[in-house]
Every structure is written in C-alpha cells, then in structure tokens.
Amino acid sequence: MRASVPITVSGLKTACSQCNLVELCLPFGMSGSELSRLDELVGARRKVKRQHSLYRAGDTFEAIYAIRAGSFKTDVLLEDGREQVTGFQMTGEILGLDGISTEAHSCNAIALEDSEVCVIAYDKLEQMSHEIEGLQLQFHKVMSREIVRDHGVMMLLGSMRAEERLAAFLLNMSQRFNARGFSPQDFNLRMTREEIGSYLGLKLETVSRAFSRFQEDGLISVQQKHVQLLDPAGLKKLIQHQQGVR
Amino acid sequence: MRASVPITVSGLKTACSQCNLVELCLPFGMSGSELSRLDELVGARRKVKRQHSLYRAGDTFEAIYAIRAGSFKTDVLLEDGREQVTGFQMTGEILGLDGISTEAHSCNAIALEDSEVCVIAYDKLEQMSHEIEGLQLQFHKVMSREIVRDHGVMMLLGSMRAEERLAAFLLNMSQRFNARGFSPQDFNLRMTREEIGSYLGLKLETVSRAFSRFQEDGLISVQQKHVQLLDPAGLKKLIQHQQGVR
DNA sequence: TTTTTAGGTTGACGTGGGTCAACGGGGCTG
DNA sequence: CAGCCCCGTTGACCCACGTCAACCTAAAAA
C-alpha cells in the first residue's frame, strides 16, 4: 500500500454522450437532450496507477467518481490494522458515495490496476439534479443499488459457508464481466487471494483451498488469477442447497 | 413471522415542523420555511403492530418511511430459509431506501414492537427535492449514512470475533439510545438473541454466552432484554485490542 | 539472462464458535 | 390464575476454518 501522491488530471474532457459506458453508468436511462447537458457535469478525468489511492478515509469529500477504465477496491481499516475490503468496483460503477454523509470519505479507494475515473464535482451534481429530472432519479438509484449490494454482502458474511461465499463471489464477477461485454465464463481477476479473503471474511488459505476444491469438482478451472467457470449452474446449486453453518 | 395484512392509515397528519424527532430525521438541518413546506410531503401515518411487516421483499416501491414511534428490523431471506438481519432501526430513522433501485423492495421490514411510521411518497419526495435545496442534500446524506453504516457491519462480520461483535453492537445501541434522550447505560433491547445473532453472524447460543461472559467480567449487567453498561470503556477496549481471528 | 519477491498452494494441527440437548423463567392467553 | 410457549441460559461435543509453516510459481527487477 503506497501513498496517494501521484495524481494526473488530464485536461481532456470526454463527453458522457459519447462514452460507451453510458448504460452501466450514472447517465443510464437519460434522454438525449439530458445527456448532452450532463457533459458539463463531468469536469476532468483522473488517472490512478495500480496500488495508488483515489481517495483515503478522512479526505474531505468533494466529488464522486465514475470508473472509466480499470478497477478498484474499497476498504476500511481498524486502528489495530485489520482491513475489511467492502467492495470491488468495475468500469461504469460509481465511487465515493460514502463521503456525502459526513463530507469526508470513510473508506479508502485503491486502484487494482492502472485506472481512470471521471471526476464529478458533488456540488455541481446537486445543482444539476435540481434541473435535470432524470439525473436525480438515476443518482438515487445508484445509491440505492449500493445499499442493496451491501445487504447481499452482509448475507454472504453473516450466513454462508466459505465455499458458498466464493461461489457467490465468482458468479457475481461473472455477471459483471458479462454486462461489460466480456466472457462470463472466462476472465481474469484483478485482486489477490488475500483481498478476496478480506472481502469474503475468510483467510487467503481458505480462499485458495476453496478454489482448488472447485477445480477438483470440475466446477471451474483456475490458474492464478485466470478463472474459467465450467459449470455455473453447479456453483449456483452450491449456494442454494448447501446447509448454512450459521 | 406473520403476514403483512393489518395496516392502519390514520388520517391524522402531523407536521414535521412540530415533530420532536426533527434533528434525528430527514428534516435535519433544514430552515424553518423549508420545514413548513415539508409538511406537505408527509402524507399519512401508519401503525404497524409488533411482528407485522411494513413492507416485504418484492413489494413494489412507492414510499419511504420515517419511524415516528417504535422500532424495526430489516432482513433478507435466502431460498433455503436462511435469514440475515441487515439492520435494526429506531425512531427518526428512514426505512425503504433499498426499494429505489429496482422499484421493488429487496428486504422485509418488520416491527419489533407496536410502531408508527410517517409515509413519504417517493414521487413527491423526488419532486420536492427539485424545489427545496436542503431536502435533496439531506436525503442524499441519509442514503450515504446508510452506506457507511453497512460498511461498518461488513467490518463487524468480516473481521471481528464474537465478543467484539457484541461489544460493538452494544456500544452502537447505547449511542443511539443516547441520541434519543434515553440513558446510554441502561436500556431495554427490543430484539431477541436470535435476531441479534442473525445480525452479527452468530448463533443465539453464542450471543447468550457472550452476554454472560461480559457480565462475569463486570462489563455489563444483563437480565433478559434489560442491559446496563457498567464499563463502556472496557467494551471499547475489547474492540480495539482483541486480536482478530480473520 | 539470473535473481528476487510477491502471490499462491498445500499439509498438519488447533480452536472459536456451531450443534445438540436439557432446563429454567417470564409473560401471554384462555 | 393456571398452563403453555417462547425466549434465554448452560453444558458437552465437534467441525469448519484459522494458524503456522514449507514450498512452488510467475512476474518484476537487476
């Protein structure tokens, strides 16, 4: 984990109206005329190198970010050094919503690979939400979706066994790769076993063993970060039929 | 768990401007003139009896709810019957935000005691947010706070031991009772050991044992649902210094 | 190219908390 | 006011996952 020093703000403005991520991102469902007004909203783009942070817990909140390229993790740290990864974010997803409530970020957002985000100044967003009908609704939906997602993670952490958690994680990644036009059966994870473990409330060894088990059972094929889902239905069954421990 | 049949919509409108929960609720921080406009927003009140649900997963989303009296739990159910309690809500807190994203609720909201909520029609809220500056910001803060809270729960579930989880839970309850003008050291829980367990990712026996352990150690005094925090600092220490298992 | 190092796998073993079971007490309900 | 039932407590046992350690692999650094 390195400091959050090197920030590149590229002057290049790129219009939402011309971005191929529209239907995954904040502008989803907005009309053409609304869309073109949105272009004013996105101020600049910012590149974040692998392992560097987009923002850190405690930073004053000024903007939210739409991921244009790459991927991130968000995490929370306890005083004693324990880390909890609270989410992994992919292109089109929005980062920074945690900062609105106290006007300071409450978690760290760290790039898993060299990435680029669109910076959306929050005061401008507020203002423009008053004017553009669809923007407000869409923004609320994005926040609400985050809440629903978090409930799903709580379900994972609170009432599933190790293998169920990993199966759910893999299916979720698969579905998100698919939504982005990549193969849902064949993808490269961007995070380490330790990060997956932290997210799933497991130790990295347990994650590794679960991967191996799935491979033995013919459900997947893994080699390092490269994963192929050979039997997605089998993974789904695992979640539904396996008895919970808790 | 009973069906969600009996709904009482009392015709009595009560103004936000005269409610003693303002500083805990949606109107927090709004000006006097804004506040009086808010009164139009809150349509009716609705009573929900103990064990009955305010809404269920799958119900179409129409409104959010501010708790005027009583308390609730929200939970998510898996096909195989496993339950995960995702939160406990007290007076002034907002329920139903999960419904915005898909226009259907994704969890169940169940009253822990006979309760009453203010019904806030979502379309009206959307509309009024365009007009009242402070309302939009405040609503965003409420949603953001929910996201931050969920991250805290993920931290609990993912990287704390049983006793740490319960200590954190008790301190959180204490702080919320305090914010409502009740004693932070002496309160009655409204939920069962099983519900606490589900929320904390533990079995009810483990919760019970942790309660007993805390009592032996002189940290608290428990009798059934009645809890007294004898040594809140000791509970805090437990969270910070105890080694994590995961 | 070789060296280094972070990330991943696997085995042996320990333990926190789950499981099962018995029992006690308080508050509805008739 | 009696009986029931839900809730909570406690003990004995066990297992899923954590811990510790050795080793392997791949990619970055030199």
Side-chain angles (χ1 to χ4, degrees), chain B residues 167-228:
Chain B
F169 170 74
L170 289 173
L171 290 168
N172 177 260
M173 291 305 287
S174 166
Q175 178 254 305
R176 285 157 77 193
F177 276 117
N178 192 39
R180 282 159 186 77
F182 300 106
S183 167
Q185 287 96 259
D186 189 310
F187 46 84
N188 284 288
L189 298 172
R190 302 292 143 83
M191 65 294 283
T192 67
R193 300 290 189 263
E194 187 169 24
E195 287 164 336
I196 297 172
S198 171
Y199 180 62
L200 298 177
L202 302 169
K203 292 271 95 169
L204 65 101
E205 294 93 331
T206 305
V207 173
S208 181
R209 276 186 250 269
F211 268 120
S212 302
R213 186 86 210 292
F214 287 171
Q215 184 158 251
E216 280 166 35
D217 296 351
L219 293 167
I220 65 171
S221 158
V222 224
Q223 199 186 16
Q224 306 287 117
K225 295 193 159 64
H226 181 220
V227 179
Q228 287 174 275

Side-chain angles (χ1 to χ4, degrees), chain A residues 160-163 201-203 205-206 209 223-224 245-246:
Chain A
M160 287 180 158
R161 320 165 49 96
E163 292 189 1
L202 302 169
K203 294 270 93 170
E205 294 94 331
T206 305
R209 276 187 249 269
Q223 201 187 16
Q224 305 286 115
V245 184
R246 294 180 173 147

